Amino acid sequence: MSTVISVKSPIFFKKYLFIITYFFSLCFIYQQQISSKWEYMHFLNEFSLIRLFSILFLMIPLVFISNIKVSVRNIFLNIALYIYFIPALILFVYSAIDLFSIVIIISSLAIFWSISHVDLKSLRNNYISEHFFLYLLFLITIAVISAIYIFGDKQFNLSLLDVYLFRSEAASSLPNAFNYIISPLSKVLIPIGIVLSLKLKNYNFVALFLLLSVLLFGFTHHKTIIFIPFFVVVFYAFLANTKNLYILKFLFILIAVIGFSDYLLSLYMEEYALFGNFSSFIIRRLLFLPPLLSSLYIEFYTDQGYLYWANSSLSMDIFKNTSLALTSAPTTIGETYFGDNVWANSGLVGSGYSNAGIVGVILYSMIFGILVSILNNYGKTHGHKIVSCIAMPSLITILISSDFLTSFLTHGVLLLLIVMNIIRPIK
């Protein structure tokens, strides 16, 4: 059986133009602001013309990944391309990422893109109606927040700048069981509640879930808890009436334009400290830091040897390397490259490589592709936009900032699959 790839010239060049525009916009921001201020944090600025031309050629096959047809798979692949892989290519052009690392990063994309196109059938038992499950989620959320208030230290804080002052004390005051409850609640159950509320046009419940998210953030002091629910609402609004995925491409172009404008305003209005923060913090931390950390993971564990999941209870210490397993990978990388008390999380590529090198990246990428395929299959029955809004926070977390096993078991990805299986969607 042969595979035929048809190319419609206007659509192909339109998608390539989006990629190129985004690429060069971020290149400008990286060179002018990020690397100039943060070079000591390994954001190098050693431009290579040869690398640039090789990347411009490499971006041609990336056009085929950025399919504009609405599906869970295509929505995630477009986001993954713009939020992680194109910034990685820019870092390679400026020598912040070496050739070995960029090959591994692009190989990971090729693997999970290929596997995700395999049509895997998902279970569909559909036991519970969406209306009933919505009320159940609401009661569960109230019960958990009430328990956190009763058993916790009762310190309530809504300042994003002060979260680190309260987080450790808040976590230590709660029973250990809450470590396995708070993350799935905030990353899976509350987003499901919000999306179902939006689908059913129950806007009172949308407001209530957002309010409960604010309360949960105030008592636990984790920033992702406050960002994810509002991200879900905005993401749902973006996808609600769209017939193709050009709107996602426009969104990332808009991010680059805001960063460019923010940089220019910081030059001409130096007296306002507010300007310059968007490109310096949002673009640097959201777009450039994850692929940079992936390359640092690759560099470190290539020299020092692999963990073989020694820090995971699933390994049962079979392959334990005592010289490396004394601290977790994020702590090791943070302290090695950035200083004491720095936690440097990495996602699919970095965590996979730290555990088993190239084999770990291949294994994680294949399983990740299977996960995307299963979620895409659920999209056919529950609605691609609905499943995308529910699953996207978890998929992005796996890609850029969390070990796959940790996300699957602790951060609620397994729970997400179970919920998708038992909900009976309203047609």
Side-chain angles (χ1 to χ4, degrees):
M1 183 178 69
S2 60
T3 301
V4 178
I5 298 177
S6 61
V7 178
K8 297 180 179 179
S9 296
I11 296 177
F12 177 87
F13 286 110
K14 187 176 182 180
K15 292 192 292 185
Y16 187 72
L17 181 62
F18 272 107
I19 292 175
I20 290 296
T21 303
Y22 182 68
F23 175 85
F24 280 110
S25 298
L26 287 188
C27 279
F28 178 85
I29 296 170
Y30 180 84
Q31 183 175 18
Q32 295 299 319
Q33 186 170 18
I34 294 176
S35 63
S36 63
K37 289 186 176 180
W38 300 93
E39 188 169 5
Y40 71 97
M41 298 288 282
H42 303 278
F43 289 100
L44 302 182
N45 187 3
E46 299 174 8
F47 176 79
S48 169
L49 190 60
I50 295 176
R51 290 188 176 195
L52 174 62
F53 282 115
S54 65
I55 291 305
L56 293 178
F57 179 77
L58 177 63
M59 279 195 251
I60 294 175
L62 293 184
V63 174
F64 297 103
I65 294 176
S66 60
N67 197 312
I68 59 172
K69 182 180 179 181
V70 176
S71 71
V72 177
R73 178 190 298 120
N74 291 337
I75 290 170
F76 173 69
L77 286 171
N78 273 276
I79 291 176
L81 190 64
Y82 280 80
I83 204 173
Y84 180 80
F85 291 99
I86 292 177
L89 297 177
I90 294 171
L91 291 174
F92 174 69
V93 168
Y94 286 93
S95 305
I97 288 181
D98 61 18
L99 178 61
F100 182 60
S101 296
I102 201 65
V103 168
I104 292 176
I105 290 172
I106 295 301
S107 298
S108 174
L109 171 63
I111 292 169
F112 77 70
W113 172 74
S114 301
I115 298 295
S116 69
H117 278 72
V118 178
D119 189 16
L120 297 174
K121 300 300 180 183
S122 51
L123 298 173
R124 297 192 190 98
N125 292 315
N126 306 140
Y127 297 118
I128 305 175
S129 72
E130 291 178 337
H131 281 102
F132 178 81
F133 196 73
L134 178 60
Y135 285 98
L136 181 62
L137 287 177
F138 182 67
L139 294 176
I140 290 173
T141 305
I142 290 178
V144 172
I145 294 176
S146 299
I148 291 173
Y149 177 78
I150 293 170
F151 295 105
D153 60 6
K154 298 180 177 59
Q155 294 189 84
F156 189 78
N157 165 65
L158 293 180
S159 173
L160 293 173
L161 300 176
D162 295 332
V163 291
Y164 299 109
L165 301 177
F166 302 99
R167 182 182 298 175
S168 297
E169 187 174 346
S172 61
S173 66
L174 289 171
N176 290 333
F178 282 89
N179 294 330
Y180 303 95
I181 296 174
I182 294 174
S183 186
L185 177 69
S186 62
K187 295 180 180 179
V188 175
L189 295 183
I190 290 179
I192 290 175
I194 291 173
V195 172
L196 290 181
S197 300
L198 289 167
K199 178 184 178 182
L200 300 172
K201 296 183 173 16
N202 191 333
Y203 300 114
N204 290 330
F205 262 44
V206 174
L208 287 172
F209 274 113
L210 291 175
L211 176 60
L212 290 172
S213 298
V214 173
L215 292 175
L216 186 61
F217 163 71
F219 287 121
T220 60
H221 318 290
H222 286 277
K223 288 182 284 188
T224 55
I225 291 176
I226 196 68
F227 286 128
I228 288 177
F230 290 95
F231 164 81
V232 169
V233 172
V234 173
F235 195 54
Y236 186 93
F238 267 100
L239 293 180
N241 300 310
T242 185
K243 295 181 179 179
N244 57 55
L245 299 182
Y246 281 124
I247 191 167
L248 286 181
K249 302 175 189 296
F250 275 115
L251 177 61
F252 282 99
I253 296 292
L254 178 62
I255 291 174
V257 169
I258 293 174
F260 178 80
S261 303
D262 178 63
Y263 167 69
L264 292 180
L265 288 171
S266 69
L267 293 179
Y268 295 103
M269 304 181 73
E270 296 180 1
E271 65 274 17
Y272 295 98
L274 176 65
F275 297 122
N277 288 329
F278 183 87
S279 55
S280 182
F281 290 97
I282 302 299
I283 292 180
R284 176 180 64 88
R285 297 190 66 170
L286 179 63
L287 302 181
F288 286 117
L289 187 59
L292 177 66
L293 289 176
S294 296
S295 70
L296 296 180
Y297 270 67
I298 293 170
E299 176 185 284
F300 181 85
Y301 288 102
T302 297
D303 295 335
Q304 301 297 324
Y306 311 126
L307 295 173
Y308 296 108
W309 294 275
N311 289 302
S312 171
S313 58
L314 296 178
S315 71
M316 297 180 291
D317 295 342
I318 295 175
F319 301 109
K320 187 159 186 173
N321 183 335
T322 55
S323 64
L324 289 175
L326 296 176
T327 58
S328 65
T331 302
T332 301
I333 298 300
E335 292 181 351
T336 301
Y337 291 97
F338 302 105
D340 295 337
N341 301 317
V342 177
W343 189 268
N345 286 308
S346 185
L348 189 74
V349 175
S351 60
Y353 194 89
S354 67
N355 282 304
I358 295 175
V359 174
V361 176
I362 293 173
L363 179 63
Y364 273 17
S365 300
M366 291 178 66
I367 300 174
F368 191 48
I370 293 172
L371 173 63
V372 173
S373 177
I374 292 173
L375 290 170
N376 191 71
N377 203 273
Y378 279 123
K380 296 174 184 177
T381 54
H382 293 71
H384 286 290
K385 297 175 184 178
I386 298 297
V387 176
S388 295
C389 290
I390 293 171
M392 211 50 58
S394 297
L395 292 177
I396 293 173
T397 297
I398 293 173
L399 177 66
I400 67 174
S401 64
S402 179
D403 179 78
F404 189 90
L405 287 179
T406 302
S407 293
F408 199 80
L409 298 174
T410 306
H411 295 322
V413 175
L414 178 59
L415 177 63
L416 170 65
L417 295 178
I418 294 173
V419 170
M420 287 291 97
N421 181 49
I422 65 176
I423 291 180
R424 183 171 65 251
I426 297 175
K427 300 298 183 181

